[in-house]
Amino acid sequence: MPTANKDRSPVPARAANTQSLARRQFVFDSARLLCGVGVLGLGLAGYAKQARARPPLAVRPPGAAAEDDFLGACIRCGMCVRDCPYNILELATPESPIATGTPYFTARSGPCEMCEDIPCVKACPTGALDHSLTDINQSRMGLAVLSDQETCLNFLGLRCDVCYRVCPVIDKAITLELRPNTRTGRHAMFIPTVHSEHCTGCGKCESACVTEEASIRVLPAKLVKGSLGEHYRLGWEEKSKAGGHSLVEDRELVDLPDRLPEGVHLEGHFDPGSDPLPAGVPAGGPALPSLPPGLGGPAAPGSGLNQLPAEAPR
Amino acid sequence: MNSKRAGAEAVASKGWVAAHRWLLARRLCQLALLALFLLGPLAAVWIVKGNLAYSLTLDSLPLTDPYVLLQSLLAGNWPEKLALIGALIVIVFYFLVGGRVYCAWVCPINPLTDLAGWLRRRLGIKGSAHVSRSSRYWILAMTLLLASLTGSIVWELVNPVSMLHRGLLFGLGATWVVVLAVFLFDLFVMSRGWCGHLCPVGAFYSLLAKGSPLRVTASRRAACNDCMDCFEVCPEPQVIRPALKGAGKGIGPVILASNCTNCGRCIDVCSKDVFTFGLRFNNPPENGTQGEPTAATSGH
């Protein structure tokens, strides 16, 4: 009350003293509070930073933004979990290494069934799952990678093909690429090959993989996808862009001799820079293709079926 | 140990049920809400989907926790329309009934901290770490700051309130450790520590109570016999004094402090029926000064 204070205007020394003591106490208390809350905040921020590192085998539902944005948008309500008709989604519990309360699925135990109406995205109230995703084939939950060529049955020359068969985007997201089987010398290997422009990361391949540990896995695209770099030009693509004209072969190029270790002779390898020209090819002619004989190049003398490239070209 | 338990007088004069009326109503409300949420996952009757962060009732009524939505907004995300409508409904509702009604009538942590408070009284556990009750507002500010600085909803990583509710509906995991920690903290370290001093969720909802019409009022404060039972049971005892003892200072009988949770325990334990639910506008400062209690404000 201001009036009460005015009445005793000459402040006694002791009262002034207690006043300053009270002020000191207030400052100290406030400092204590701020420091305490500050330390708590620092700890939380550190924990939050850890929590951003999502384990690679936890896959976010379709339409999930990049992890950093997702953790700013998801309010952990679990609506996506409830509206998933196959019950594959879970909310992370505090002990799991995923940000607490956020939804995820594990492809190996339950992959996304790729519902056409995408109910999980529709259920999301915050847009953490992007509502502009209306075609499930456009979702990018991750990227399948044939992560173990040592155990993949198709890489061993068998016809498993399971990952290819179960792929919802069959023949686009996974194709079987034929390679000569150099072990038998007479068979083909059907190499499951993932194409990132079509793979949705649903995880059906990983779930269906017959090996004890999956040989094909859905991983965060950021973790596995390489990038050529802006400056790269692929000759064959440039050629087709240029209407079939190779940007290279149109010029007068000198083909230098291929450098091989001394005394090594590769069977079937044709090096127009140093090998004598096959019979019937005029010397000094333009644009001699440097393909090995039998693979589009000129037939080399003595070529046979066993002269396949030692390594399948990637 | 207290020689006499808080509320004993009220039990003697009104009977046990009448002396626990609001407590029973509150527990019933908490249980009913939880049951409504659990009906889906346990019995596949989907009246309510989601949890306290966001829920959809009968596929048409959205309810959003405005606090978590605010953090999401600060983190740089614009929500869908339903979430905004839900937050608006919740804000209006808690403005009308008192923001911290969420704490006393809805929050799943409340029964546990109430139990800790009750045990503290029964076991006579003395001593409590001293931390200002305004800490919660600093923590609230810190969580909002963290959301905007880091771009992610940091508080939800550790929030025991949402963690427990989510855990009960979606799988508890190690949530019980966090909940037990809060309980033991309240029991041994700080009296009414979590809900009364630290929880930023309660702090946020208390802000919604500024100007709430529905308040507890000490409308018959002249009848107060200074038994102190209401102070004993109140989770925020500092809110009572101005209203109850303010007759001589020209302060009206309505508990205007926004940290009153409208739990109604003071109404229960008062043998003189000093308190009642009322409206904040019915707040005559002269109430109780004439020595004759004015007519109690009508119920809610």
Side-chain angles (χ1 to χ4, degrees), chain B:
Chain B
M1 271 287 200
N2 297 329
S3 52
K4 162 187 88 76
R5 281 174 55 188
E9 254 180 71
V11 172
S13 67
K14 302 195 282 193
W16 193 90
V17 175
H20 292 84
R21 209 155 52 105
W22 290 108
L23 181 66
L24 290 174
R26 217 150 53 77
R27 294 287 176 258
L28 207 65
C29 175
Q30 288 162 337
L31 275 175
L33 280 175
L34 197 59
L36 212 56
F37 273 103
L38 278 170
L39 218 50
L42 293 188
V45 180
W46 294 104
I47 297 170
V48 187
K49 264 186 210 168
N51 58 34
L52 286 179
Y54 173 85
S55 64
L56 198 57
T57 305
L58 295 171
D59 277 328
S60 49
L61 172 69
L63 295 171
T64 316
D65 176 17
Y67 174 44
V68 73
L69 196 73
L70 176 63
Q71 291 175 76
S72 169
L73 278 168
L74 288 174
N77 176 68
W78 189 251
E80 296 292 321
K81 210 185 299 161
L82 272 185
L84 287 170
I85 295 171
L88 202 68
I89 295 172
V90 168
I91 287 172
V92 168
F93 175 77
Y94 283 111
F95 170 76
L96 289 177
V97 300
R100 292 203 63 194
V101 159
Y102 177 85
C103 302
W105 295 76
V106 178
C107 176
I109 289 279
N110 171 275
L112 291 160
T113 53
D114 270 1
L115 178 66
W118 181 80
L119 271 176
R120 216 171 214 277
R121 286 203 307 277
R122 292 303 301 276
L123 302 176
I125 298 173
K126 298 280 177 233
S128 168
H130 176 72
V131 166
S132 161
R133 280 192 184 261
S134 64
S135 304
R136 48 188 154 198
Y137 294 104
W138 291 100
I139 294 177
L140 170 65
M142 183 263 289
T143 61
L144 298 180
L145 191 70
L146 274 183
S148 48
L149 288 183
T150 63
S152 88
I153 306 176
V154 175
W155 180 246
E156 281 309 296
L157 293 173
V158 292
N159 183 0
V161 176
S162 57
M163 215 185 262
L164 176 59
H165 195 253
R166 191 169 53 231
L168 291 170
L169 303 179
F170 291 87
L172 211 50
T175 303
W176 65 271
V177 178
V178 182
V179 174
L180 185 69
V182 169
F183 174 77
L184 293 177
F185 178 80
D186 262 30
L187 184 57
F188 293 117
V189 182
M190 199 191 294
S191 171
R192 297 287 177 184
W194 180 255
C195 304
H197 295 76
L198 304 177
C199 178
V201 183
F204 178 87
Y205 276 91
S206 83
L207 297 178
L208 295 182
K210 307 266 182 206
S212 284
L214 181 66
R215 301 273 74 190
V216 172
T217 165
S219 53
R220 283 164 41 86
R221 57 186 172 179
C224 172
N225 63 355
D226 293 329
C227 72
M228 300 299 281
D229 280 1
C230 54
F231 287 98
E232 189 85 359
V233 295
C234 179
E236 305 275 350
Q238 79 281 4
V239 306
I240 298 179
R241 183 172 300 278
L244 184 61
K245 296 294 166 197
K249 298 173 195 151
I251 302 171
V254 175
I255 296 178
L256 294 173
S258 56
N259 268 315
C260 170
T261 65
N262 280 4
C263 71
R265 262 315 262 159
C266 53
I267 306 174
D268 281 348
V269 299
C270 183
S271 59
K272 303 293 175 197
D273 284 330
V274 167
F275 299 97
T276 162
F277 277 114
L279 295 174
R280 86 184 291 123
F281 319 109
N282 193 356
N283 195 17
E286 65 278 6
N287 171 302
T289 44
Q290 286 84 25
E292 191 61 32
T294 56
T297 40
S298 58
H300 40 100

Side-chain angles (χ1 to χ4, degrees), chain A residues 20-38, chain B residues 130-135 138:
Chain A
S20 87
L21 269 178
R23 198 179 300 128
R24 275 169 65 105
Q25 195 57 45
F26 173 76
V27 171
F28 285 146
D29 280 352
S30 307
R32 195 166 73 117
L33 194 61
L34 273 179
C35 289
V37 172
Chain B
H130 176 72
V131 166
S132 161
R133 280 192 184 261
S134 64
S135 304
W138 291 100

Side-chain angles (χ1 to χ4, degrees), chain A residues 5-314:
Chain A
N5 275 343
K6 256 179 212 163
D7 288 345
R8 38 188 172 92
S9 40
V11 182
R14 183 175 282 180
N17 203 18
T18 50
Q19 246 184 17
S20 87
L21 269 178
R23 198 179 300 128
R24 275 169 65 105
Q25 195 57 45
F26 173 76
V27 171
F28 285 146
D29 280 352
S30 307
R32 195 166 73 117
L33 194 61
L34 273 179
C35 289
V37 172
V39 168
L40 187 70
L42 266 181
L44 262 179
Y47 177 48
K49 199 160 178 295
Q50 298 278 311
R52 283 182 189 199
R54 171 165 57 97
L57 289 186
V59 189
R60 293 286 183 211
E67 190 68 3
D68 276 6
D69 295 333
F70 183 79
L71 291 182
C74 173
I75 58 171
R76 286 84 155 150
C77 67
M79 291 300 285
C80 52
V81 176
R82 291 298 182 231
D83 279 7
C84 171
Y86 298 94
N87 279 324
I88 62 149
L89 291 173
E90 270 181 83
L91 292 187
T93 47
E95 75 275 19
S96 58
I98 311 156
T100 308
T102 54
Y104 71 98
F105 68 94
T106 310
R108 185 62 164 165
S109 52
C112 174
E113 298 288 339
M114 305 256 292
C115 311
E116 276 179 18
D117 51 344
I118 333 181
C120 52
V121 171
K122 281 186 184 156
C124 179
T126 62
L129 306 181
D130 186 358
H131 284 231
S132 67
L133 176 75
T134 48
D135 175 8
I136 188 66
N137 286 333
Q138 296 303 316
S139 67
R140 295 292 176 267
M141 294 168 261
L143 180 59
V145 187
L146 206 153
S147 50
D148 197 347
Q149 305 186 352
E150 293 174 336
T151 50
C152 170
L153 296 184
N154 276 35
F155 260 93
L156 294 175
L158 305 167
R159 288 298 303 277
C160 165
D161 298 0
V162 165
C163 54
Y164 163 77
R165 296 275 167 215
V166 298
C167 178
V169 204
I170 185 169
D171 278 326
K172 283 183 185 160
I174 302 186
T175 56
L176 293 177
E177 302 292 320
L178 267 60
R179 298 279 179 275
N181 185 341
T182 50
R183 180 175 57 80
T184 64
R186 66 190 69 222
H187 298 103
M189 298 202 293
F190 291 69
I191 303 301
T193 307
V194 179
H195 302 276
S196 59
E197 71 266 38
H198 293 296
C199 175
T200 63
C202 69
K204 289 212 140 189
C205 51
E206 176 176 346
S207 153
C209 179
V210 301
T211 56
E212 194 170 311
E213 290 286 333
S215 303
I216 188 166
R217 283 199 162 135
V218 168
L219 298 171
K222 216 168 86 178
L223 197 69
V224 289
K225 190 80 186 83
S227 166
L228 268 178
E230 284 288 303
H231 59 290
Y232 266 81
R233 295 288 177 271
L234 301 177
W236 53 95
E237 283 182 2
E238 298 300 324
K239 188 174 172 179
S240 71
K241 268 190 226 164
H245 279 284
S246 167
L247 304 184
V248 177
E249 282 170 356
D250 280 354
R251 298 178 194 162
E252 291 289 318
L253 287 180
V254 179
D255 196 339
L256 294 173
D258 292 357
R259 287 171 58 131
L260 293 171
E262 213 169 314
V264 170
H265 174 69
L266 285 180
E267 196 65 38
H269 177 77
F270 178 67
D271 175 15
S274 56
D275 288 354
L277 290 171
V281 178
L288 188 69
S290 58
L291 284 168
L295 282 173
S303 65
L305 262 178
N306 56 345
Q307 286 168 334
L308 290 164
E311 206 184 353
R314 300 273 143 80

